[in-house]
Amino acid sequence: MITRDLQAFFAFAAICAPDAPACAKAVFMVSPEGFCLAEQSATDNRYMQMSAMVDAASAHAEHRALQAVIRRCLPVICFPGDSETPDAVFPNNVFALTPEHLILGHMRHPVRQREAARDDIRRFFTETLGRTLADLGSQPGICELTGSMVIDRSRGIGFCGLSERCDETGARAMHAAFGLRATLMFDLAEGEYHTNVVLSILAGRAAVIAPCGFRDSRVPEAIAGFYGGTAIQLSPAQKADFAGNCIALSGQDVFLSARAAASLDPGQLAMLDASGFILHAVPMPTLELAGGSLRCCVGEIY
């Protein structure tokens, strides 16, 4: 099922048993060689700080620290960056894994389309890990993978926000490529570019939601209702601090930037604790200048 119908989607989702791994078994990342603020990306990413000066050494230090923190939880593979692809530090928008496939996204901007052409990353996942290639760049719809599609892997359901970075054709292509049981399509609020800035599903049992990031307020209300007492709702200021751009990499370990963690209030922290989660906060002030945060830096290997 792929639909905009809230009632139909959640009725179907309610019978989707959590019968698959909720979290990745390893992650991949791309180091920030050539890291800078890409002008093309800034045209539809209001979180970018184009007036800021970027210090390459700081970006590398933050990225190494992030790798080290995640390695305490599960294995990390890090590919070298490339000065021709300044946004490559956010690989989850371009590459995604299922147990069977390597999925390549159809990126909106040419500066990001170059990332999908990297032969070394393709060959690692297809030849070394034996995944079959699903290249969505060859179909007409724009779809920036787990930037646009937030997935509850345990249930096989997806939440796909439509924007300049993902259209309905692209959403349908991702639904098929990820092999999802059901996908809910909805419009993001004006000015939002990726769903994973306004929504995260944590280990299939909790949701972090910024209602202001959705065009129709009924959508975040329905998502919060589905996850019940484990749905944490963010203010606009917390969304701007990337609190929605978090990720669970085990049943108890949630990773987010130090800026995002500092924005959470005591009640929200208590909800996460009551849900059995431990927060790992990593300083990323330089990397966040490029308009993404911790979740965007992490590609998941299933």
Side-chain angles (χ1 to χ4, degrees):
M1 169 190 287
I2 179 166
T3 183
R4 287 178 175 265
D5 187 317
L6 291 171
Q7 184 175 358
F9 174 82
F10 285 106
F12 186 86
I15 61 173
C16 293
D19 57 4
C23 301
K25 62 182 179 182
V27 305
F28 65 95
M29 302 171 69
V30 176
S31 63
E33 273 80 17
F35 179 72
C36 65
L37 307 185
E39 292 185 5
Q40 288 179 16
S41 299
T43 61
D44 57 3
N45 182 346
R46 66 180 183 185
Y47 297 90
M48 294 180 70
Q49 303 295 316
M50 291 302 292
S51 62
M53 297 293 293
V54 174
D55 179 73
S58 295
H60 278 277
E62 291 171 15
H63 202 265
R64 287 192 297 269
L66 176 58
Q67 293 177 52
V69 171
I70 294 176
R71 281 196 179 99
R72 299 171 191 164
C73 179
L74 76 177
V76 177
I77 298 164
C78 188
F79 297 97
D82 185 334
S83 61
E84 295 299 313
T85 56
D87 283 334
V89 72
F90 303 133
N92 79 302
N93 307 319
V94 185
F95 305 97
L97 277 294
T98 71
E100 298 82 21
H101 300 294
L102 165 65
I103 305 170
L104 302 181
H106 187 169
M107 310 304 290
R108 182 186 184 202
H109 298 298
V111 70
R112 302 227 60 190
Q113 292 169 7
R114 290 196 292 267
E115 296 175 43
R118 281 191 56 165
D119 188 58
D120 59 333
I121 297 179
R122 289 183 180 218
R123 290 181 62 184
F124 177 80
F125 289 118
T126 57
E127 297 180 10
T128 305
L129 295 191
R131 306 301 168 88
T132 301
L133 181 64
D135 186 354
L136 303 189
S138 61
Q139 56 83 45
I142 301 299
C143 49
E144 301 204 348
L145 300 188
T146 54
S148 299
M149 177 80 82
V150 171
I151 302 174
D152 181 334
R153 298 268 188 164
S154 66
R155 293 179 176 85
I157 61 175
F159 301 91
C160 190
L162 305 183
S163 69
E164 293 91 343
R165 302 290 187 99
C166 182
D167 55 30
E168 187 168 328
T169 300
R172 293 184 181 277
M174 288 193 292
H175 172 79
F178 280 105
L180 298 175
R181 293 166 170 168
T183 294
L184 178 67
M185 294 184 294
F186 49 85
D187 296 313
L188 295 178
E190 189 70 28
E192 297 294 348
Y193 78 114
H194 274 162
T195 314
N196 72 3
V197 180
V198 304
L199 175 67
S200 180
I201 305 300
L202 303 178
R205 68 175 192 272
V208 179
I209 310 168
C212 61
F214 298 76
R215 189 166 299 180
D216 183 345
S217 63
R218 293 174 299 175
V219 176
E221 289 173 3
I223 297 172
F226 184 73
Y227 289 96
T230 55
I232 295 170
Q233 301 201 37
L234 303 176
S235 69
Q238 290 172 322
K239 176 181 69 70
D241 283 336
F242 295 110
N245 198 242
C246 52
I247 185 170
L249 293 177
S250 78
Q252 66 178 22
D253 296 289
V254 173
F255 295 80
L256 71 175
S257 76
R259 173 184 174 186
S263 77
L264 297 176
D265 65 39
Q268 293 166 329
L269 293 170
M271 287 180 67
L272 287 165
D273 181 68
S275 298
F277 291 113
I278 300 169
L279 296 188
H280 304 272
V282 185
M284 301 178 57
T286 304
L287 295 173
E288 286 180 329
L289 295 174
S293 189
L294 191 148
R295 194 275 171 268
C296 297
C297 292
V298 177
E300 300 160 281
I301 299 176
Y302 285 85

